[in-house]
Every structure is written in C-alpha cells, then in structure tokens.
Amino acid sequence: MLAGSAFALSAQAADDAGYRQPPEPLLGVLRAPLNPSPSIDPTGTTALLVRQSLYPPVERVAEPYLKLAGVRVEPRNHSRHDRANGYGIRTCLDGFSLLDLASGRETGVALPAGACPGLPTWSPDGRGFAFDNTTDAGVELWVGDARDGRVRRIEGVQLNTLLGSDVQWLGARHELLVKLVPADLGPMPQKAAVPPGPEMKEAIGGKGESSTYEARDTLSSPEDEALFDHFATAQLATVDVASGKVARVGPPAVYASVAVAPDGRHVRVQKLKRPYSYVTTYNRFAHDMLVLDLADGSSRVLASLPVADRVPVRGVPTGPRSYGWRANQPATLVWAEALDGGDWKTEVPARDRLLTLAAPFTGKPKEFARTKQRYAGLAWFERGGAALLNEYDANRNWRTTTLVDADKAGDKGRVLWDLSTDELYADPGSPRFHTLANGAAVLLQRDGALFLSGAGASPQGNRPFLDRYDLASGTSTRLFRSAPDALESFVDFAGGDTARLLTWHQSPSDPPNLFLRTLGQAQADAAAGEAAYASTPVTVTRFPDPAPLVRGVKKRLVTYKRKDGVDLSFTLYTPPGYQEGTRIPAILYAYPADYADPSKAGQVSGSEQTFTRLTGYRLMLLAGYAIIDNASFPIVGDPKTAYDTYLEQLVADAQAAVDKAVELGVVDRDRIGVTGHSHGALMTANLLAHTDLFRAGVASSGGYNKTLTPFGFQNERRSFWDAREVYDQASAFFHADRINEPLLIVHGSDDANPGTEPTQSPRLFQAIRGNGGTTRLVMLPFEPHWYAAQESNEHFVAEMLAWFDRYVKEAPAQQPAAR
C-alpha cells in the first residue's frame, strides 16, 4: 500500500499545467489490457473473440468535429465522432480472432496496420461477417470468411455511419444493404467568418413541453442545416459479398433508420425532411416513413410525420411510431399509435393501438390489438400469429407480457408475467431467440417451451440462470444456475443443441472465460432452487489474468437497513494486505436510483463473485483505502412525487451505509470520502452540504442546478413551475454556502449529456469559492460525459488520489461543524 504523503500535491504542483499520472502500482493496473469477449455466430459453432480498446490517446479524442442535431461529425473523414448513444467517443477495436467451438482451434484475423475496426456483424448462416474500418480518408467496408479468417476490403465503398443502420445483411443472400457517402456529394459547405445573421427561434402559442434531454447539440442556423444535409445525406446500395459488386438503389437522401424485411427485398426507410427543428435532435425531425422495393427500386410512403418537438416528458410522439417487421412473415409491418396524445399523465382505457400492413402495402392497415399501458415491443414465434406483447406502465414502474395471437384481431391473450420493473428476485428472465436463415430473429421454442435466461438476483447476490418455460402450464424447469462461488452467465446454445450450453464464467480469482456445459440427468434436489440438471464444465477459452496484483483485493456483500426499515446493501472492498480488525480510510461510491415500491428498493443486485478489475475510484484500493461500493441509495415513492423527500432519503441512505461500514470494524468513521458520477455527483455535493458524514468529496460530470433542466430531471416528471421546492432542494448549487468539506469537481469540457452541460461545474466551483469553501475544478479537454482518453483517465485518478490523501487519509481529527 502507498503512503499518502508520497503523492500529496503541493500548492505549487497543484498549479502546474499538463496531464498527471498516478504512481505505480495504480498506473500499471489502470493500463492493464482487456481480455477478449465472445460474439457467437447464429449457428452456435464459431465465436469471434473481440478485443476492445481500453483508452484511446487524447489526440484521437481531440479530433475536430461538428455538432449537428445530436450527432458529432468528424469532417476530415466523414465519420461519427461520438457513439450512437451520444455519451462517449467512438473507439476502435484492438482486433479479433475466430474460435471453432467444437475443436477449440483459434484463427487470427489479420487486419492492416493502423486499422480502426468496428464491431463485426455475423451473416445469418454464420459463414461470414462484415465490419467497418475507419481511416483518415473515410469509413471502409470489410468482409471476412469465418472458415479461414481471411478479410478483404470492398473496393469503391465509403460508408456513411452518421445516423446508423449502415451495414445489414440481406436475408439469406450473401449480400449487404449499406449506406454510402454519395459519390457526387461535393465539398463541405463553409460557414461564413461573420455570421449572416442572429440565431432565431420562435414559439407561437400552443402549450407543449420539450424535454431538455432531447436538445443535445441542436442545429442553430441555416448554415448548420446545410452542414447536416451534407454529412447526413446517404446513398442506399447493395453489395454482393462474393464479387464486391455495388448496386445503388434510389436517389440520395437524408436516411435515418433503415431496416431490411425478412424477405430481403423490402426495406423500411425513415427519410428526414425539412423544415428541421432548432430545439430537438434529428430523431424528432419531420420525416416520411416509406418502404423501398429493392427488386425494382420503387417506393411507397406509409406515413408523413411532422417535427415532434413538443412531446411530453417521457411521452411519445403522436401518429405512427415504433415500426418493425413481423419476423415470421416475408414483409409485414407492425407499428403503434398513441391513444392518449402520447402523454402518460392522461387517463385513458388504452394507451396505444397496434396496426399491421403486409406487402405490397396498398391496402388499409388493420388494427389487431390495444394496450392498456405503453407498447414496449413484440417478440414473434417462428410460425403463426403467436407473439409476446410487452407493455410498460410509467406510473407504476410496471411491465406486463401477454401471449397474444396477432392474427385474431382483439385477442386479449393470456398474461404470462405481470410485475414491477424494480422486482429483481422474481424476475422470470428474458426469452432466448434464434436466427432464421433469412436473418430474422424469432423466439426459440422446443416442444411447447421457451428458454428464459436472467441475472438471478437473490439476497446473496446474482446467480444467473437458464430456465425451460412450458407455455401450456406456465411452469419453469431450471436447467442451469451459477454456482454460489462464481458468476456464470448463459451465453448461447452450442450448435443449436439445447442440451449444450455456452456460458461466461468468472470468479474473484478466475478471469472471465467461455465454458461449455452438457446437461446430464435431472437432479433430485431441483425443488431446492439449485440447477435442475447436472453439467460438467469444459473450458473453451483460457484468457490470462491481466493484473495479478488485484487478486489481493478482498470483497464481501453487506446487507443492512435504513432507519425506516428499507433494506439496503453495498459491496465492501478491502486493499491487498489488509489486516482484519484494522480501521482504515474509506471512500463511498453510489448512484441514487428511483423505486416506486419500498419493498423492492433493497433487493440486492450485482455479485461479489465478479473478477475484480480496478478503474477510477476503485484504484484507491491500491493506495490503502477501503471502498464502500455501489451502496444502495434508493429514492422511494410514487414516481409522480418521489422527489418531494429526495434530500431526506439521501441523508438516510448515507447515514445507514456509513454506520454499517463502521460497525464492521473496517472503516475509520473519521476518515471517509464520498464520490459519484453524473447523478451521483449531485449526490456527492448534496451530502457535503447537508451532512457531516464525509471529510471530502470528488464529484465528476454532475448537474448541480436543476432549474437548468426545468422540464424534469432523473425520474422527476414535474416541471420547475409545478414543483419549485423540489428543484430547489435537489440543487446543490443553491446550498453551496453549506458545502464546508473539500470538494474536487471534475468535468469533461465537451459533455453532451443534457442536464450535465460543462457550465454546471464552473458555476458550482464559483459558488463554493465565493462562499469561502475549499474546492478545486478540473475541466478535462475534449472529454464527453464518460472520459475516454488515456491521459484524461490517468489524470482523473491522480487528482482523486491527491485529494483524498490530503483531505481524508491525512486529515486531522474531525471537528464538529455548526450548521
């Protein structure tokens, strides 16, 4: 363990410019590579072992980009800078290899020097795969052969990946549907050195909320519109994988989502159109939904929808939405339409109706079902009209799954599962699917039964499982359950054989590896809740331990109660070499979560049987700290009003966690720090303002003034004007004068997450400083909500270690503070 004084920053060092690094062994463990993870082909015979990149260099993160309607575009190579969810940087894979699951033979995939591949996509028959490769000049299309691992570039193809849906397999054929950068696109529009006029927005009557969470990097001028058109315009084309022949389909346009029908001939296309909105992102732009026929190039408009920039918070747009293909028919569309104006607050007999229309799409759509709550998806059986219909009730955090016959209009069906989304212990699991020859995914059914896999939450932690669910009786038979001394999750069936299970196994001492289990005879003690069938594991992969030093870290799952009786838990980590009975400094990490039912708030999630990997705050273990990790911080109550008691519950959660950690004899009550990210950063600042439990805090990428998101935050659905006191009590900025413990504030300077804009942290820093508090502000250049660059992550850890060493580990005895 490191001595705290060895790394305390002097006042002069704190002012030095440049990136810092933590000392060894923290630095070495932080840089330890990631082991591969498997991607199983649709036939269950081959695995792509994908090696993820850990942290790109800051030069990659700093690549110049444009902010256009919720997408960050790198103009240099016409590629997307951010990930599809907008919260991180697009990164490269380090590479991949092929593993024959029967023989265990591994075949390397040779990529060109400096390659930046994306995640491969399997062909439906498992014989090939496709992936993109980003270069300085553009995004290339590559294909590979699963038999020998050989890969090659498709010449003359530059992919347009900006709005997704850029590479899809066309049914059973070895062809791809792709989005291309148009060959005659022309030069990028240039912004004038002096703007041609002011930025203007207008609202003329008509009440309608527009959530701040939909307004990320929006357009702001006609020049932005021209740039968006330039980069988002794509040419649809088909690619013959064998010959490399490219056939363009239809004219170029701004295409968003694109989905191939099971017949491989029809394509559902979302075509964006003007006028564009300046208050929301492209996914709410006006658009035509159309079907394109690849055989003759014809198209038919299904719906023409206006801009949806007045959608209620957590609501849905009116008109057709959630289009999908019926998986067990050649080309039949299914979609939903709101019956409540898209507003969850409206009381109605049914919220949505479901409609269907088959090729050639010339008839009248047929309504086949109505849902009492919000439509949340259909899962189709391989044959007939049977499907699992999912609904979600936002007012109760409730989900319902019903077995329906979509071929019988108005069929009420049979409810299979009806439970709270907060219910972990009784979660039946998720149905497994298999891929048809045409690439469509349907429910895996054998002899009248489905297969369900889940996390297997229990009071002792997660024990993942696989069940066989009999549809007629509604009873489940447990085929597999993880042993209590490991964490082993079902991945897939080997070769499509439901008696041969591929699992992902790990334990505190064993790195994650792929196992093969063959089910044997049913066990007599199946009723006791253990695995109903015996199986002996065979190790398929043997990935090494990338950081053996970390195996000295010990952890235990701890359960306890809040003062009002709500059950809580945390995982307590102790550093290598820790001597039982010794009280040491500690750091508490948490992220508040919302629950409608107090009986569900304390259900244990996660496992102490994971293979420990140290990043971020957990690296403090190597400097002699205990970590009170993932402490339960529930905010319990009716989703409509739960935040009325936010502060009261936050303080009670913290008090209970600290008291329990001290009671265990591990943690020194006088030397505890607190840290959190995003909503957890707000928690951190509020706990320093409203308690004396912690000596110091580190808050990263938080939003501290909730009036800047006036139409809702986290799970608060009311606007600021409906619940002023709630916004006030939740906003640490308004209580900065009470933050009398040191607070390190860290933020990415390019955070695109609505509600945690980079301006939030400097304003809190100024407020604490102006009121005489102790604080430090670190703005990480170019970083989004989650920090990407290696230099940034190393600097963050160095700053955190120095802060906690100075103000927690080496702090003088606690003095009572007047509040």
Side-chain angles (χ1 to χ4, degrees):
M1 293 185 288
L2 297 175
S5 58
F7 195 62
L9 287 178
S10 67
Q12 178 62 43
D15 291 333
D16 289 343
Y19 287 103
R20 300 191 185 92
Q21 295 175 345
E24 295 291 356
L26 283 74
L27 183 62
V29 171
L30 178 61
R31 292 180 173 180
L34 296 173
N35 279 336
S37 57
S39 171
I40 311 298
D41 85 289
T43 69
T45 60
T46 308
L48 268 168
L49 301 179
V50 179
R51 298 189 297 277
Q52 296 280 352
S53 176
L54 186 57
Y55 301 122
V58 72
E59 290 83 4
R60 163 73 189 97
V61 180
E63 178 69 28
Y65 64 84
L66 303 171
K67 301 178 181 181
L68 299 172
V71 178
R72 296 186 164 187
V73 181
E74 294 182 11
R76 179 171 63 92
N77 58 7
H78 209 114
S79 71
R80 183 155 181 165
H81 182 77
D82 56 342
R83 294 177 182 170
N85 62 15
Y87 298 131
I89 299 295
R90 174 188 53 79
T91 57
C92 310
L93 296 178
D94 280 345
F96 35 85
S97 58
L98 289 162
L99 178 71
D100 181 80
L101 296 173
S103 66
R105 179 173 57 88
E106 185 174 349
T107 302
V109 175
L111 298 174
C116 179
L119 190 66
T121 301
W122 280 107
S123 64
D125 61 7
R127 292 169 52 196
F129 54 93
F131 60 95
D132 61 65
N133 179 48
T134 304
T135 71
D136 289 343
V139 183
E140 304 171 337
L141 173 65
W142 286 65
V143 294
D145 190 320
R147 293 167 294 186
D148 56 19
R150 288 188 297 179
V151 295
R152 58 189 172 85
R153 183 181 65 191
I154 301 296
E155 299 296 334
V157 170
Q158 183 180 358
L159 296 175
N160 188 331
T161 60
L162 299 184
L163 303 186
S165 306
D166 43 282
V167 177
Q168 298 178 58
W169 290 91
L170 277 175
R173 309 197 301 271
H174 258 234
E175 292 184 54
L176 295 163
L177 177 70
V178 298
K179 283 183 180 178
L180 305 179
V181 175
D184 57 351
L185 186 62
M188 180 182 76
Q190 298 298 313
K191 282 193 171 185
V194 177
E199 178 181 337
M200 293 175 283
K201 298 178 183 179
E202 185 175 62
I204 304 176
K207 182 179 180 181
E209 298 175 350
S210 179
S211 172
T212 312
Y213 289 82
E214 297 158 8
R216 185 181 68 247
D217 295 349
T218 53
L219 304 178
S220 61
S221 69
E223 291 179 316
D224 278 353
E225 294 185 61
L227 284 166
F228 179 75
D229 277 339
H230 176 84
F231 287 106
T233 295
Q235 170 69 63
L236 295 178
T238 61
V239 177
D240 184 288
V241 172
S243 67
K245 181 181 178 181
V246 178
R248 286 161 177 77
V249 181
V254 181
Y255 298 121
S257 66
V258 176
V260 178
D263 65 1
R265 169 179 172 177
H266 294 89
V267 182
R268 176 187 55 76
V269 178
Q270 182 187 18
K271 180 181 176 182
L272 304 187
K273 61 183 182 181
R274 293 175 178 249
Y276 296 145
S277 172
Y278 285 12
V279 298
T280 191
T281 52
Y282 79 89
N283 56 332
R284 292 286 176 87
F285 280 4
H287 63 274
D288 288 337
M289 191 64 71
L290 53 89
V291 173
L292 176 66
D293 188 332
L294 296 178
D296 59 18
S298 64
S299 63
R300 180 175 295 276
V301 176
L302 301 170
S304 187
L305 300 170
V307 64
D309 58 2
R310 289 181 180 269
V311 177
V313 176
R314 287 180 171 81
V316 297
T318 55
R321 73 173 204 282
S322 301
Y323 278 92
W325 291 109
R326 178 165 166 168
N328 60 11
Q329 289 189 351
T332 299
L333 281 167
V334 178
W335 67 91
E337 294 181 2
L339 298 171
D340 60 357
D343 192 344
W344 60 272
K345 296 188 289 293
T346 303
E347 297 292 337
V348 290
R351 293 208 177 275
D352 285 331
R353 66 171 184 158
L354 303 181
L355 300 101
T356 184
L357 182 65
F361 313 104
T362 55
K364 182 179 180 180
K366 296 179 181 178
E367 179 182 322
F368 68 91
R370 293 196 171 198
T371 60
K372 186 176 180 181
Q373 300 302 331
R374 189 68 69 213
Y375 170 64
L378 280 161
W380 296 94
F381 287 77
E382 187 168 347
R383 297 178 182 85
L388 299 184
L389 171 60
N390 295 295
E391 305 175 45
Y392 176 66
D393 181 355
N395 291 322
R396 294 192 299 153
N397 290 356
W398 204 267
R399 60 174 173 166
T400 304
T401 301
T402 307
L403 175 62
V404 299
D405 188 339
D407 291 338
K408 297 179 180 178
D411 177 44
K412 300 300 181 183
R414 174 163 59 95
V415 173
L416 301 186
W417 303 293
D418 189 43
L419 70 167
S420 168
T421 55
D422 300 328
E423 173 57 72
L424 303 179
Y425 296 167
D427 184 352
S430 300
R432 304 299 301 187
F433 292 79
H434 75 107
T435 303
L436 301 178
N438 60 15
V442 296
L443 291 162
L444 177 60
Q445 182 184 14
R446 293 287 187 275
D447 301 322
L450 299 176
F451 296 88
L452 310 176
S453 62
S458 76
Q460 292 75 44
N462 287 0
R463 292 183 62 189
F465 66 88
L466 175 69
D467 284 356
R468 183 181 184 275
Y469 178 80
D470 185 78
L471 284 163
S473 65
T475 58
S476 292
T477 300
R478 184 132 296 175
L479 303 178
F480 166 77
R481 188 185 187 193
S482 176
D485 61 350
L487 184 69
E488 188 173 354
S489 305
F490 174 75
V491 175
D492 208 340
F493 293 108
D497 183 349
T498 56
R500 302 173 68 231
L501 317 182
L502 291 167
T503 63
W504 192 239
H505 176 281
Q506 60 184 298
S507 75
S509 58
D510 300 317
N513 271 290
L514 200 62
F515 279 14
L516 174 64
R517 290 180 174 271
T518 301
L519 298 180
Q521 298 297 314
Q523 293 181 338
D525 63 345
E530 299 303 315
Y533 287 81
S535 62
T536 301
V538 175
T539 303
V540 178
T541 61
R542 290 176 172 81
F543 302 134
D545 184 345
L549 172 66
V550 177
R551 285 339 106 211
V553 170
K554 305 301 180 186
K555 56 185 170 181
R556 67 186 98 166
L557 179 66
V558 178
T559 58
Y560 53 103
K561 290 184 181 291
R562 202 165 72 175
K563 65 180 181 181
D564 58 1
V566 173
D567 291 319
L568 305 173
S569 66
F570 59 69
T571 299
L572 181 66
Y573 288 79
T574 50
Y578 171 73
Q579 298 296 316
E580 286 293 335
T582 305
R583 292 195 180 275
I584 59 176
I587 298 165
L588 181 146
Y589 172 86
Y591 187 94
D594 307 313
Y595 295 89
D597 184 346
S599 68
K600 308 297 187 295
Q603 292 192 351
V604 176
S605 63
S607 172
E608 61 182 348
Q609 302 304 327
T610 56
F611 181 72
T612 304
R613 179 175 176 84
L614 302 185
T615 58
Y617 63 91
R618 288 181 182 152
L619 283 161
M620 302 303 109
L621 284 158
L622 303 182
Y625 292 86
I627 301 294
I628 307 166
D629 201 25
N630 288 318
S632 300
F633 266 63
I635 306 300
V636 183
D638 186 325
K640 299 176 183 177
T641 58
Y643 274 78
D644 288 355
T645 56
Y646 163 76
L647 272 183
E648 174 187 331
Q649 295 194 62
L650 201 70
V651 171
D653 292 332
Q655 185 71 63
V658 167
D659 288 348
K660 186 63 180 180
V662 172
E663 177 191 318
L664 294 172
V666 175
V667 172
D668 181 351
R669 185 184 292 273
D670 201 37
R671 294 187 294 165
I672 306 176
V674 60
T675 187
H677 185 82
S678 195
H679 194 48
L682 174 66
M683 169 206 75
T684 298
N686 271 323
L687 289 175
L688 297 189
H690 300 285
T691 78
D692 288 317
L693 295 170
F694 306 99
R695 299 304 303 271
V698 176
S700 56
S701 297
Y704 309 103
N705 183 347
K706 290 307 172 186
T707 66
L708 299 180
T709 55
F711 289 107
F713 63 91
Q714 209 62 14
N715 204 39
E716 174 55 59
R717 289 100 178 272
R718 295 165 293 183
S719 75
F720 166 75
W721 297 275
D722 294 327
R724 292 173 185 263
E725 291 185 2
V726 170
Y727 281 74
D728 177 276
Q729 70 159 331
S731 298
F733 177 83
F734 296 148
H735 308 283
D737 58 326
R738 303 185 64 184
I739 299 177
N740 56 9
E741 292 89 9
L743 178 62
L744 171 64
I745 306 169
V746 182
H747 214 121
S749 61
D750 280 357
D751 190 347
N753 180 40
T756 61
E757 291 90 346
T759 57
Q760 291 266 5
S761 287
R763 291 180 180 182
L764 180 63
F765 170 80
Q766 291 161 2
I768 297 173
R769 177 180 178 275
N771 281 284
T774 300
T775 185
R776 177 176 171 85
L777 174 66
V778 177
M779 299 297 293
L780 296 170
F782 313 112
E783 290 293 350
H785 191 61
W786 294 99
Y787 313 143
Q790 177 173 309
E791 292 87 344
S792 299
N793 283 278
E794 292 173 357
H795 187 94
F796 182 30
V797 170
E799 289 276 0
M800 181 183 295
L801 177 60
W803 195 259
F804 281 138
D805 275 359
R806 181 176 181 180
Y807 292 112
V808 175
K809 181 185 286 186
E810 300 171 359
Q814 180 86 359
Q815 298 296 321
R819 289 197 182 273

PDB file of all heavy atoms in Angstrom, residues 93 104 324 412:
ATOM      1  N   LEU A  93     -11.769  -1.155 -32.174  1.00  0.00           N
ATOM      2  CA  LEU A  93     -11.421  -2.433 -31.582  1.00  0.00           C
ATOM      3  C   LEU A  93      -9.924  -2.659 -31.770  1.00  0.00           C
ATOM      4  O   LEU A  93      -9.326  -2.205 -32.746  1.00  0.00           O
ATOM      5  CB  LEU A  93     -12.200  -3.557 -32.254  1.00  0.00           C
ATOM      6  CG  LEU A  93     -13.720  -3.549 -32.099  1.00  0.00           C
ATOM      7  CD1 LEU A  93     -14.334  -4.713 -32.868  1.00  0.00           C
ATOM      8  CD2 LEU A  93     -14.123  -3.598 -30.640  1.00  0.00           C
ATOM      9  N   GLY A 104     -11.840 -26.062 -30.607  1.00  0.00           N
ATOM     10  CA  GLY A 104     -11.046 -25.133 -29.809  1.00  0.00           C
ATOM     11  C   GLY A 104      -9.960 -24.448 -30.601  1.00  0.00           C
ATOM     12  O   GLY A 104      -9.138 -23.720 -30.032  1.00  0.00           O
ATOM     13  N   GLY A 324     -41.812  -1.949 -37.016  1.00  0.00           N
ATOM     14  CA  GLY A 324     -40.972  -3.141 -37.035  1.00  0.00           C
ATOM     15  C   GLY A 324     -41.525  -4.153 -38.017  1.00  0.00           C
ATOM     16  O   GLY A 324     -42.710  -4.118 -38.370  1.00  0.00           O
ATOM     17  N   LYS A 412     -57.476 -10.981 -26.519  1.00  0.00           N
ATOM     18  CA  LYS A 412     -56.998 -10.485 -25.224  1.00  0.00           C
ATOM     19  C   LYS A 412     -55.763 -11.235 -24.748  1.00  0.00           C
ATOM     20  O   LYS A 412     -55.005 -10.725 -23.929  1.00  0.00           O
ATOM     21  CB  LYS A 412     -58.110 -10.599 -24.171  1.00  0.00           C
ATOM     22  CG  LYS A 412     -59.361  -9.798 -24.508  1.00  0.00           C
ATOM     23  CD  LYS A 412     -59.045  -8.318 -24.636  1.00  0.00           C
ATOM     24  CE  LYS A 412     -60.308  -7.517 -24.940  1.00  0.00           C
ATOM     25  NZ  LYS A 412     -60.033  -6.073 -25.146  1.00  0.00           N
TER      26      LYS A 412
END
